Amino acid sequence: MKWYRPLITIGMILILTGALFGCSSQNDESSNAAKASASASDPITKKSYPKSIHVGVIEGGPESAILVKENFLKNFGVKVKVTSYAAGTDINNAVVSKKVDLVSFGSYPIALGIANRIDYKAVYVPYVEGGNIEALVAKKKQNINRVTDLKGKKIATPFGTTSQYALLNVLKLAGLDAKKDVKLLDMGGQDIVAAWTRGDIDAAYIWSPALDKCVAGGGKIIMNDGELVKKGITIPEIAVARTEFAKQYPTLVQKYVKALVNVSNLVKKDPEQATKDVADWENVTTKNAKGQITDNIWIAPEDQITDQYLGDKGKGKLARTLKTIADFHKAQGDISQSPDVSTFESAIDTSFLEHVLNE
């Protein structure tokens, strides 16, 4: 039996959307804003605004925490519904079913989405994962001190996420075959903590707060995203806009990018407040939340359109990184063919950020 989650085709995604991981709406704008949106229209396209728009946030995402806690999604001129998702595969499903218009999540599921012709545009890169933002934690009592000690062990991670991508790279670098040498289990954060407590798994590659709970429960971090960066494996977090939505309401996409710029500015100017936001949103201590602010490589807004990230007309490192990840998907059997780099370049749109930078 294959250990990985097969590629979800567009048709299947539409069927599966009814089974999306639970979502919680929060921080809607006032009823006055909702009423105003009924008669408001986008100043660029003149398209009338919908009654509400849908912004997705990812569990364990520090940019999501700050967006929500600082209420940076206000003053859009339209009601904003915020929905939380547990994994990127859930978000891809929601985008296809038009349940999400704007969202920031991991590059691993985004590369899979673009390869599978999910129609969204990358508009911003909040950060590149570093340090212990996501990490491989193993049980001390199992005497697992290095990756090679995992041979024959059970390792849990949420499939279709950046953690899975990181784990597969870690195993490959250590000379372990992910299909033959270890047993990989597809679990979300809460399930990982429960399985860890029961003793059902030996290790996990996951993010906070599940990571913190595993460490507190007798775990030891033996590899992390920071070490992967040193080995040339970068994992950026990417904000996307559903293409149809962006064409109709470019001003709202600009406002969303502006909100992410506000996140970046807060991290730079007041990291203590940013840390508090993450701690409050994830219900963890500020000590545990601090790494999500200090370990990640937060990208300055003005650096986004350089070749290192989005690039000119999408011809930057981000497109090449997404192509590399898609090639990895193909090697794992998730997709039968990895698109040319031009496909990923065309899935990047810097116009919204350029407008914000020129305000």
Side-chain angles (χ1 to χ4, degrees):
M1 183 175 69
K2 294 180 179 179
W3 56 267
Y4 55 80
R5 173 177 295 168
L7 171 68
I8 300 177
T9 63
I10 297 301
M12 289 178 65
I13 292 174
L14 290 170
I15 295 172
L16 291 172
T17 49
L20 291 175
F21 191 88
C23 359
S24 57
S25 296
Q26 52 189 316
N27 283 349
D28 289 344
E29 288 194 48
S30 67
S31 58
N32 289 336
K35 292 177 182 177
S37 69
S39 58
S41 61
D42 192 286
I44 297 174
T45 63
K46 309 305 179 185
K47 288 278 188 179
S48 295
Y49 283 153
K51 292 182 179 179
S52 61
I53 66 172
H54 303 272
V55 175
V57 294
I58 186 76
E59 292 180 9
E63 81 280 27
S64 293
I66 298 169
L67 277 174
V68 172
K69 297 302 293 185
E70 294 295 328
N71 202 16
F72 284 148
L73 297 173
K74 65 181 180 181
N75 300 326
F76 270 46
V78 62
K79 186 176 183 180
V80 178
K81 291 185 176 181
V82 179
T83 303
S84 180
Y85 293 91
T89 48
D90 297 332
I91 292 174
N92 276 339
N93 293 344
V95 171
V96 171
S97 63
K98 300 183 180 181
K99 292 182 178 180
V100 168
D101 303 310
L102 304 159
V103 61
S104 176
F105 62 122
S107 49
Y108 188 64
I110 287 175
L112 182 61
I114 294 172
N116 198 29
R117 299 183 182 180
I118 294 180
D119 205 3
Y120 42 44
K121 300 291 186 184
V123 297
Y124 197 80
V125 180
Y127 58 84
V128 172
E129 293 180 8
N132 285 326
I133 184 65
E134 295 180 7
L136 177 59
V137 57
K139 291 203 167 182
K140 293 179 182 177
K141 66 180 182 180
Q142 297 287 357
N143 293 319
I144 301 171
N145 298 309
R146 57 186 65 84
V147 179
T148 51
D149 294 336
L150 289 169
K151 189 170 184 178
K153 303 297 185 180
K154 295 178 182 178
I155 313 171
T157 193
F159 285 14
T161 67
T162 53
S163 278
Q164 183 194 13
Y165 177 61
L167 174 59
L168 293 175
N169 275 285
V170 165
L171 294 173
K172 182 179 179 181
L173 289 169
L176 295 179
D177 189 310
K179 299 177 184 178
K180 298 177 181 179
D181 293 331
V182 298
K183 183 175 182 179
L184 298 186
L185 302 173
D186 181 9
M187 293 184 184
Q190 294 180 355
D191 290 335
I192 284 176
V193 173
W196 182 277
T197 303
R198 291 193 304 266
D200 294 345
I201 57 176
D202 306 299
Y205 209 116
I206 191 60
W207 56 82
S208 295
L211 175 61
D212 299 323
K213 292 178 180 179
C214 289
V215 171
K220 174 183 179 180
I221 292 176
I222 59 174
M223 181 63 75
N224 61 29
D225 287 351
E227 290 299 313
L228 287 177
V229 170
K230 293 177 183 178
K231 297 178 185 298
I233 300 170
T234 57
I235 307 175
E237 193 86 348
I238 303 170
V240 302
R242 191 165 54 82
T243 302
E244 181 185 17
F245 178 87
K247 288 180 178 179
Q248 292 180 324
Y249 313 115
T251 302
L252 295 180
V253 181
Q254 291 167 7
K255 290 179 181 293
Y256 177 65
V257 171
K258 176 63 175 178
L260 290 170
V261 169
N262 289 338
V263 170
S264 178
N265 290 339
L266 181 69
V267 169
K268 180 180 179 180
K269 297 176 181 177
D270 195 350
E272 289 186 4
Q273 180 59 42
T275 299
K276 183 178 184 301
D277 288 339
V278 173
D280 289 347
W281 196 61
E282 295 183 2
N283 194 28
V284 298
T285 65
T286 53
K287 180 181 179 181
N288 287 341
K290 185 177 180 180
Q292 296 189 51
I293 300 302
T294 59
D295 286 354
N296 281 323
I297 305 166
W298 293 85
I299 314 304
E302 59 273 16
D303 292 337
Q304 299 267 330
I305 53 179
T306 65
D307 181 67
Q308 190 68 14
Y309 299 103
L310 299 173
D312 181 29
K313 294 183 172 58
K315 298 181 184 298
K317 185 176 180 180
L318 179 62
R320 300 190 292 273
T321 297
L322 289 170
K323 167 62 176 170
T324 298
I325 295 173
D327 290 344
F328 195 88
H329 274 295
K330 182 177 182 297
Q332 297 302 316
D334 296 342
I335 51 179
S336 59
Q337 189 173 12
S338 176
D340 293 336
V341 70
S342 59
T343 298
F344 298 98
E345 291 173 348
S346 64
I348 297 171
D349 190 339
T350 60
S351 64
F352 310 104
L353 175 58
E354 289 170 358
H355 176 87
V356 172
L357 293 175
N358 291 326
E359 284 182 339

